[in-house]
Amino acid sequence: MEQIRLANPADAPFIALLGRVTFTETFGNLFRDVDDLQHYLNTTFAVEKIKNSLEKPNNVYWMASVAGLPVGYAKLKLKSESGFIASHNVSQLQKIYVLKDFLSMKIGRRLQDSLISRAVEHGSDEIWLSVLHTNERAIRFYQKNNFRTVGTHKFKIGKETFDFMAMSKSLVP
């Protein structure tokens, strides 16, 4: 049985582990230096850092589980302005991470629906995200869900520089 629920600080170890595994599954092969990848994983997905993030009022996390096992999570940042969008009433879809073996179950779609519902309830006019320009599966997913490209930017991790697309979706009917 599948469940999606709001996460709480006690979920930090699960979110940290899911983040490490899903990031490595998706992007690990893009790193020439394994130390750069490990440093990023150790800092970005540290349990204490995730716990602190869960406690911030503008961050909302959801956990997805199947048969009681954590298989994914999502993070929404309320009031997260972007240089790509003129509105100041914007939220950011920061993460939707689902273990590879569970992608076919459409858990990412249900997590996204939860994020968008919360952003609408919060009164956001628009929601935006960043996606690696070579992550075709994710780009197709967002395009299918009415996100449009609004810009590009770079992100550096260790020796690697990655090109990202900024995408946005209007939440105003």
Side-chain angles (χ1 to χ4, degrees):
M1 183 169 152
E2 176 189 323
Q3 178 189 28
I4 293 177
R5 64 169 175 77
L6 285 172
N8 61 62
D11 294 314
F14 302 112
I15 291 170
L17 181 59
L18 285 165
R20 290 180 72 98
V21 171
T22 55
F23 187 90
T24 302
E25 284 178 343
T26 307
F27 306 113
N29 65 315
L30 302 176
F31 288 82
R32 293 172 287 174
D33 184 342
V34 71
D35 291 337
D36 286 344
L37 173 61
Q38 286 305 313
H39 181 263
Y40 181 77
L41 296 173
N42 290 340
T43 56
T44 303
F45 300 111
V47 173
E48 195 61 30
K49 181 176 182 176
I50 300 294
K51 185 174 183 266
N52 290 338
S53 181
L54 279 156
E55 292 171 342
K56 292 181 179 176
N58 280 354
N59 292 339
V60 186
Y61 285 77
W62 288 263
M63 288 286 303
S65 59
V66 173
L69 298 172
V71 299
Y73 77 96
K75 178 185 177 190
L76 173 69
K77 184 172 184 177
L78 301 168
K79 296 186 181 202
S80 180
E81 291 184 23
S82 161
F84 303 105
I85 301 164
S87 174
H88 294 289
N89 197 13
V90 179
S91 291
Q92 181 184 9
L93 187 166
Q94 286 193 330
K95 291 179 177 37
I96 295 180
Y97 284 2
V98 177
L99 293 170
K100 192 183 295 186
D101 288 350
F102 296 89
L103 288 171
S104 65
M105 295 179 73
K106 310 288 186 211
I107 292 169
R109 173 61 193 241
R110 286 189 280 289
L111 286 167
Q112 179 191 251
D113 291 347
S114 296
L115 286 162
I116 289 173
S117 290
R118 176 59 66 94
V120 167
E121 288 170 14
H122 188 264
S124 296
D125 297 329
E126 205 153 343
I127 190 165
W128 74 280
L129 59 90
S130 287
V131 61
L132 186 66
H133 82 286
T134 57
N135 190 345
E136 294 175 12
R137 185 173 208 258
I139 293 167
R140 282 192 308 273
F141 171 77
Y142 292 123
Q143 288 172 335
K144 182 178 166 186
N145 289 283
N146 300 314
F147 281 84
R148 69 190 188 293
T149 302
V150 293
T152 61
H153 64 95
K154 295 189 180 300
F155 187 74
K156 188 167 175 63
I157 301 174
K159 297 172 202 66
E160 308 298 334
T161 301
F162 299 100
D163 293 316
F164 278 79
M165 295 170 51
M167 300 182 82
S168 174
K169 175 179 179 166
S170 174
L171 300 178
V172 179

